[in-house]
Every structure is written in C-alpha cells, then in structure tokens.
Amino acid sequence: MKTIKIQINDKIGFHARTASIFSKNASKFKSVINIEFKGKKVNGKSMLSIMSLGVKTGDSVILSCEGEDEEISINHLKNLINNNFNS
Amino acid sequence: MNHNKIKGIGASPGIEIGEIFFIKKNNISIIKKKSSNKPIDEINRLKKSISILEKKILSLKKNLKNKISKENLSIYDSNIEILKDPDLIEKTTHLIKSKNYSAEYSYKYCSEEYAKVINEIDDEYLSARAKDIKEISNELIEILLGKSSVDINFSSPKIIVSENISTNEIASIKSKYIKGIVTAEGGSTDHVSIISKALEIPAVVGLKSEIKKLKNNDKLILNGQEGEVIYNPTQKQLKEYKIKKNILKEKFKNAIKKNKETAKTISGELIKVYANIGSLNDAKKALKYGADGIGLFRTEFCFLNRQNFPSENEQLKLYTKILNVLPKKEFIIRLSDFGSDKKVDYIDLPYEQNPAMGYRGLRLGFKYYDKLLKPQLRALIRLSLNYNIKILCPMISDIDDIKEIKKALINESDDLKLNKTSQIPLGIMIETPNVAMNAEEFIDHVDFFSFGTNDLSQFLMAADRTNENVAKYHEKAIPSIMKLIENVCNISQKKGKWVGICGEIASKKELLKMFIKIGVNELSMSPTMIPEIKESIRKIKL
C-alpha cells in the first residue's frame, strides 16, 4: 500500500468540482483508493463521499492506494492535486 | 407594501405577466419499506431505473445543447455523476440485501444520508449540491414507482410555480412555453438559477410557505429584477407592470446595440474597451458584450488540458477559429505564459522556491524554444497575413529578452518563405517594476505596452497574489501603479506609441476618469464587464 499526506491548495478546496475531477481520475485505476480526513476514511472513487468530508483549501488529507497499480495511481493522483486539479 | 406582493429572491432578471401553471409534486412518502421481492430482483429493478434516468438526463442535455454554454451544460453531467455514484449505489444495494428493504426506500434513505452530511458543512456550494442529490433521488424514485412526476404538458406559455423544480424538469419543458419560474425553495446560486439565467427565463425563488397563496391558472406578475411576485394583480398593477416590462425590453435591446458602439466621453475622448479571452467561448462572449477588440488573448489557456503542446498547424487552426468570431477586430495575442501557477504535464518544470519569479512566460519559452516558442511564433506569423494581430510578450524584465524575440521572429519569418510578409506589431507586458520604472529603455524596441497589473502589484507589494493571507496588500498598490502608468503614458505619447491595461484594475470604475486623463489608450477586461464600463465612460467629462 502506498500512502502520502498531501495539502489541498486549490482555491475552492477539495469538494465541489475538484471532488468530481478527483473521483473520475481515481476510477481509472484498479487499486483501492482512499482519502482520510479528520479520522474519516472514504472511497476516493466516489464524488459524494469526497464531498462529505468537507475538505477546505489548506487542509491536508491522507491519500492511500492499494493494488496492482498503486505506484502509478498514487503518483498520478498526487500530481493531480499538486497541479490544482488541472489534469 | 402591497397586500398581494410576495418577496423572494431574484434568481434571473426580467419581468413577466402570465397565468400560473402550478406543479404539484407527488408525495413520495408512500414508499413501502419492506419489499416482498427477492433482494436480487430489487437490485435489478434499481439498476434498470438508474439506467432509464441516465438516458433521460442525457436526452434533456441534448435538447439544451445549442441553447446554453458548455459550462452550464455540465450541470447535467454532474447530475449523472450523483445518480451513478459508486458509494451511493453500494450502500443502497447493501441495505436491500441485508434488510430486504425496497429499492426505493433504500435509495432514498442512502441519498438523504449524503444530502444531510453535505448540507451540514457550512458551504453555500455544497448546500446547493445537497439539493441536487435530493432532486435526483426523487426522480429515481418516481421511475421506480412507475409514476411520472406530474403532467407538465401544456401548449401555451405559462409561469411555472412549484415547491421546487429540478434542472431536469426545466429541461423537459420546451423553453418557449416557460414564461417564468417561481419556487418556494432555492437560492440565487443553485443550478436552477444558473439554468434559468442561461435560458433567459425570469425567475423568483425562495418564496417559502408564502407560495401557498399562488393558485393554478391565476394571473401573476413576476418581477425578477426585484425578486418579487404579485398575485391576483389589480388593473392598475397590470397596467403599471406592462409598461415596466416594455421599458425593460427596450432597455435591453438598446443596451445590446449600444454595447457595440465605441465608448466616448462627454468631452470627446475615445478609449478602446477590449476583452480578455482564453477560449472560443470567451471570444463569443466578447462579441456578445460588444468588445471593441481583444486586448489580451491568453493563449496558454487553450493548451492547459492537453497531453502535449500543439503543433504550428494545430495552433493556426485553433487561432483561426477563435479569430473568426470577431474577424474584423484587432487581436492582441500573448505568447504562452506557462509556469508560476499555470503548470502542464508536457513541460518539465524544475522545482523552484519562488516559481512566480522563476522560469515562466518568455523565460520558459526561450528555454524550450523548439517545443514552445517556435511553433507559436510561426503560427502567429502565418495568421498575421489574414488578420489584424499584435504579439504581446509576457514576463519581460530585461531588454535582451525583447531583442531575442525580435530576432526569432525575423528568423522564423525568413524560414517560412512566405510570398507576402507583414511586420507584426510587437508589445510587452509591464508586469515587472524594472520595465515600469524604466520604460525609456524599452520604448524604441516595442510598438506598445500593456500593463499586467495583477503581477505588477504582486512584485511592488512583495505580496504573493495566490496567497489569501496577504490579499489586502494588493488594493494598496493602486496609487503606485497609477504613478507608473502615468509615467509610461508620458514616455509613450512622445514617441507616438500606445499603452493598454489588461489587469484587474482596468475595470475599476473609480479609476476610469484618471486613466483617460493620463492618456491610456485601451482597457481590456472580462467580457461581461464591458457594457457597464462603456456606460460609465460615456458619462465622464474631463
């Protein structure tokens, strides 16, 4: 399993449009992808679950990927967040 | 206050007078909790209904395709995303399997859980999404129950009144039959407001329980300007609002016509009001809102969502398409300004401590000359044969950068061996203090200057423009920026060259008079600001 802690810098935070972009990207991978915030862990492939975390700009989340493509998926998703969701 | 007036929120402007078509929603509390079917049959029923609703939403989206923008159309994609959310479906099927609950009860229960959690987060955008979740859940349940929500077939224009109305419902009625929309729920930022504005249907939302006073077939005055409705209007009110409606219509027509006219002050000074654009859609807006030209075409915005930087031919094709929206106008095209906060996968950016002051703009263009600058310069040279364009260089702080870009333009021009050649006017952005304070050094090498005040204020105030904690400092940069603009205007006038402003302060009304006084030639701004700014300029007397 690959895990990283990452800060959300996009100015609208990790909800709304960004949750949709993230879940769409996460769904491309076979790995189980989770996002953990304030002790709550959710499926990164679900837009609704990501929105329910209420992550705001500047908050940090723990991203984890587990499965055959965990290496590629975590790098791709990390870059996505670091590029403020401009894939 | 009139006894027959109800105050709500104006969600989409306009005045309409018409008959009410009251949409009563089915009461979906009649859902059976336990199912008599086998769980597997319930799950199949759920999946089938989801696919029916998905097809329905897609067909509604298709109906609106040519009526509203791509951005607004994406609301319907987001509806499908909610409908098919993997966790929502997983939780629903789990409930069906483990408790033998009905599909409709399970979906309703799970979607309401999500709506509740999301609504509790203190955020206007998310509250609006919670509303979308409920609407989609209701529509799915109607399909599961085999009931069509309501009969919304009518053949003459009416004002639709309902507790709530979904974006899907609006799309399912021919928009020529919707005179207006009135709802009990809702706010000015939810999707229904966005869609009604895009379709130019006047709307008043948020009437709350007062909506009960409105009855089917009754006459109603809808005032989207003030966010109010008048039920059972008196003859006097009808007459008054018919006049108001006509005045508004006239005003609207004149405004569109007037937008396209140039902006001249009372004392006779003319200033060009141009648009900042970054896409085909922006160019269409520039046309609609009456831009006199394009003051800043941010080319990099066309290339952000790509895997590679486009070739010379691809760029030529794309620019031609955009320029053809306003083929007779002047276009100031900025060379791609990547780096800083605009990163792309296809350019390897080194890690930098301060990317806003690092490899960006032309600095990056020179570093990757063959990949970035070369194809763009060649595309622009070819474009200049048929269109009125000027080239604008971003992030200039040193005179050598200009000399180098001029050399590159000549080289590429020679290499293209075109029969006809034209000298493309070349200008630079003023976004570094060095250029702003020492324009004398640069003036003989350029045809024009354009102030990029957002970056300039960042460097003047030593305040990062992407850092909210220091946002308040930018406002304070205005007096210094005005001094610098005045200085550059003085120098330029002596040499017969011109000065534009394409940063945020170009659309600050309180500065317009000053801009004109010190001799700014052109202001470039977001297209939607143009009508207002032109109106303000026309009232100025120096």
Side-chain angles (χ1 to χ4, degrees):
Chain A
M1 185 166 82
K2 300 274 168 198
T3 304
I4 50 158
K5 192 170 178 178
I6 190 161
Q7 196 183 24
I8 310 298
N9 292 317
D10 188 277
K11 64 174 185 294
I12 55 170
F14 201 169
H15 66 255
R17 186 184 65 89
T18 50
S20 155
I21 294 173
F22 186 91
S23 59
K24 266 189 213 137
N25 274 275
S27 303
K28 288 181 199 156
F29 298 102
K30 289 188 181 127
S31 291
V32 173
I33 292 163
N34 284 315
I35 297 172
E36 196 179 330
F37 179 62
K38 286 187 180 162
K40 201 174 156 192
K41 196 186 216 175
V42 301
N43 176 7
K45 296 177 183 176
S46 161
M47 174 180 80
L48 290 180
S49 294
I50 299 175
M51 286 203 301
S52 72
L53 291 176
V55 178
K56 300 230 153 85
T57 313
D59 286 340
S60 287
V61 299
I62 297 166
L63 170 66
S64 63
C65 301
E66 187 169 16
E68 53 183 289
D69 53 6
E70 58 188 31
E71 185 87 46
I72 325 168
S73 57
I74 202 153
N75 280 329
H76 177 86
L77 296 171
K78 185 182 79 186
N79 286 336
L80 183 72
I81 293 175
N82 285 336
N83 285 332
N84 289 342
F85 302 90
N86 289 311
S87 55
Chain B
M1 183 86 187
N2 288 325
H3 65 286
N4 58 351
K5 235 179 219 180
I6 308 173
K7 194 89 188 129
I9 302 161
S12 175
I15 291 174
E16 272 301 344
I17 301 165
E19 274 174 21
I20 294 174
F21 186 87
F22 204 111
I23 300 181
K24 273 219 163 57
K25 292 293 173 89
N26 273 321
N27 189 356
I28 28 188
S29 60
I30 36 151
I31 291 171
K32 271 199 301 188
K33 197 168 171 181
K34 281 273 181 190
S35 168
S36 46
N37 291 337
K38 276 190 226 145
I40 182 76
D41 294 334
E42 280 301 282
I43 291 169
N44 281 336
R45 215 158 63 81
L46 175 78
K47 288 192 171 152
K48 225 166 127 187
S49 303
I50 287 176
S51 129
I52 292 171
L53 184 52
E54 183 186 7
K55 278 193 197 121
K56 185 182 152 199
I57 297 173
L58 284 173
S59 102
L60 294 173
K61 184 185 161 193
K62 220 172 127 195
N63 289 344
L64 290 180
K65 205 177 154 195
N66 297 318
K67 292 186 189 145
I68 65 177
S69 71
K70 238 187 184 163
E71 196 190 332
N72 287 331
L73 268 182
S74 71
I75 288 173
Y76 292 92
D77 297 323
S78 137
N79 285 351
I80 291 176
E81 239 176 295
I82 293 172
L83 173 71
K84 292 175 73 180
D85 188 88
D87 277 12
L88 175 57
I89 292 177
E90 164 69 34
K91 286 190 170 117
T92 306
T93 50
H94 178 77
L95 212 55
I96 296 173
K97 271 191 226 160
S98 62
K99 307 252 173 153
N100 203 19
Y101 285 164
S102 70
E104 36 284 57
Y105 179 83
S106 305
Y107 193 87
K108 187 174 158 68
Y109 180 85
C110 296
S111 61
E112 275 177 1
E113 282 284 290
Y114 270 115
K116 198 175 144 233
V117 174
I118 290 169
N119 198 29
E120 274 167 4
I121 303 164
D122 184 23
D123 182 291
E124 198 186 3
Y125 181 94
L126 287 180
S127 304
R129 295 299 73 74
K131 210 175 138 237
D132 291 344
I133 296 170
K134 280 190 210 156
E135 278 168 6
I136 287 157
S137 159
N138 285 343
E139 282 173 49
L140 185 75
I141 288 161
E142 278 160 8
I143 292 173
L144 278 164
L145 292 171
K147 287 180 188 161
S148 87
S149 68
V150 264
D151 186 16
I152 34 182
N153 275 325
F154 48 91
S155 50
S156 64
K158 305 258 185 184
I159 295 176
I160 291 174
V161 178
S162 181
E163 271 298 308
N164 53 60
I165 187 160
S166 72
T167 47
N168 293 343
E169 283 164 341
I170 295 182
S172 68
I173 310 169
K174 281 206 173 111
S175 54
K176 66 172 179 186
Y177 293 144
I178 313 179
K179 264 193 158 177
I181 294 170
V182 178
T183 65
E185 297 176 6
S188 59
T189 58
D190 60 23
H191 280 162
V192 170
S193 303
I194 295 171
I195 296 286
S196 43
K197 243 185 253 160
L199 289 169
E200 292 172 1
I201 299 171
V204 175
V205 301
L207 254 55
K208 309 231 169 78
S209 62
E210 294 279 289
I211 203 160
K212 289 191 190 112
K213 293 179 178 160
L214 309 184
K215 302 274 180 285
N216 201 24
N217 291 328
D218 276 1
K219 223 175 198 148
L220 187 78
I221 297 172
L222 185 162
N223 185 350
Q225 309 298 108
E226 304 292 329
E228 59 191 21
V229 297
I230 301 170
Y231 59 98
N232 300 328
T234 59
Q235 283 304 322
K236 201 178 143 212
Q237 283 171 322
L238 278 174
K239 222 168 134 187
E240 180 192 340
Y241 277 87
K242 265 180 199 155
I243 295 168
K244 277 191 181 170
K245 185 185 159 185
N246 285 335
I247 292 174
L248 204 66
K249 248 189 180 162
E250 243 355 83
K251 231 173 151 180
F252 192 67
K253 253 199 248 160
N254 286 337
I256 289 209
K257 218 167 82 193
K258 219 169 168 194
N259 283 350
K260 300 208 190 302
E261 290 168 14
T262 52
K264 207 181 217 171
T265 63
I266 295 174
S267 35
E269 293 83 8
L270 190 73
I271 187 161
K272 291 171 175 170
V273 183
Y274 280 16
N276 293 342
I277 65 165
S279 67
L280 182 65
N281 212 8
D282 287 349
K284 286 179 184 162
K285 274 194 196 155
L287 175 71
K288 180 174 170 195
Y289 291 105
D292 299 327
I294 302 301
L296 175 66
F297 177 8
R298 301 179 168 108
T299 52
E300 70 278 0
F301 276 65
C302 305
F303 315 135
L304 287 177
N305 295 317
R306 286 179 58 109
Q307 299 303 315
N308 54 0
F309 192 65
S311 67
E312 175 186 332
N313 283 333
E314 271 178 280
Q315 288 189 49
L316 183 65
K317 223 170 119 187
L318 177 81
Y319 299 149
T320 306
K321 207 169 156 191
I322 291 177
L323 266 66
N324 277 341
V325 177
L326 304 116
K328 299 247 157 42
K329 302 285 188 198
E330 176 177 77
F331 271 72
I332 299 174
I333 305 179
R334 187 173 69 184
L335 298 172
S336 52
D337 187 16
F338 292 112
S340 190
D341 54 345
K342 282 170 284 190
K343 298 185 189 77
V344 280
D345 285 344
Y346 48 85
I347 311 172
D348 251 336
L349 286 172
Y351 172 77
E352 293 176 308
Q353 196 83 358
N354 288 305
M357 295 188 272
Y359 264 133
R360 55 175 290 199
L362 265 198
R363 299 168 180 180
L364 205 61
F366 288 130
K367 183 175 158 76
Y368 297 103
Y369 182 78
D370 286 344
K371 195 170 162 186
L372 289 180
L373 213 42
K374 188 176 176 163
Q376 187 165 38
L377 288 177
R378 292 169 76 97
L380 293 178
I381 293 166
R382 288 166 66 191
L383 196 69
S384 73
L385 302 178
N386 301 312
Y387 298 90
N388 177 10
I389 66 165
K390 287 184 160 81
I391 292 179
L392 180 60
C393 305
M395 209 52 209
I396 296 278
S397 58
D398 177 18
I399 192 85
D400 287 345
D401 287 347
I402 306 173
K403 290 180 183 161
E404 202 171 336
I405 195 83
K406 282 187 133 171
K407 215 161 61 194
L409 261 173
I410 293 169
N411 286 343
E412 298 304 341
S413 231
D414 290 348
D415 192 58
L416 278 168
K417 296 192 178 68
L418 303 166
N419 297 326
K420 202 170 85 177
T421 50
S422 66
Q423 181 93 40
I424 313 174
L426 186 78
I428 59 174
M429 295 280 290
I430 298 193
E431 43 191 351
T432 62
N434 187 45
V435 181
M437 293 165 76
N438 196 13
E440 294 94 332
E441 192 194 350
F442 295 83
I443 187 102
D444 291 325
H445 299 273
V446 300
D447 300 294
F448 66 96
F449 291 114
S450 184
F451 270 87
T453 52
N454 305 349
D455 263 313
L456 185 58
S457 89
Q458 147 164 293
F459 297 126
L460 283 173
M461 302 304 284
D464 184 348
R465 56 187 270 202
T466 61
N467 183 344
E468 277 179 30
N469 298 329
V470 293
K472 62 171 186 180
Y473 291 100
H474 293 272
E475 202 62 28
K476 303 279 173 66
I478 291 177
S480 298
I481 292 178
M482 291 306 283
K483 272 188 193 167
L484 292 168
I485 296 175
E486 188 170 7
N487 179 40
V488 173
C489 282
N490 282 336
I491 295 163
S492 301
Q493 275 157 9
K494 280 180 205 146
K495 299 272 186 176
K497 303 199 170 167
W498 66 269
V499 179
I501 302 173
C502 58
E504 218 151 276
I505 72 167
S507 54
K508 282 204 183 300
K509 281 186 191 164
E510 65 274 20
L511 297 175
L512 292 173
K513 197 170 175 177
M514 195 62 187
F515 289 147
I516 294 166
K517 213 177 214 166
I518 62 183
V520 174
N521 305 85
E522 169 249 344
L523 298 170
S524 193
M525 61 201 68
S526 157
T528 49
M529 291 300 298
I530 292 172
E532 252 182 278
I533 296 296
K534 280 192 167 179
E535 248 339 276
S536 300
I537 292 169
R538 292 182 185 119
K539 288 181 188 138
I540 290 175
K541 200 171 158 189
L542 285 195

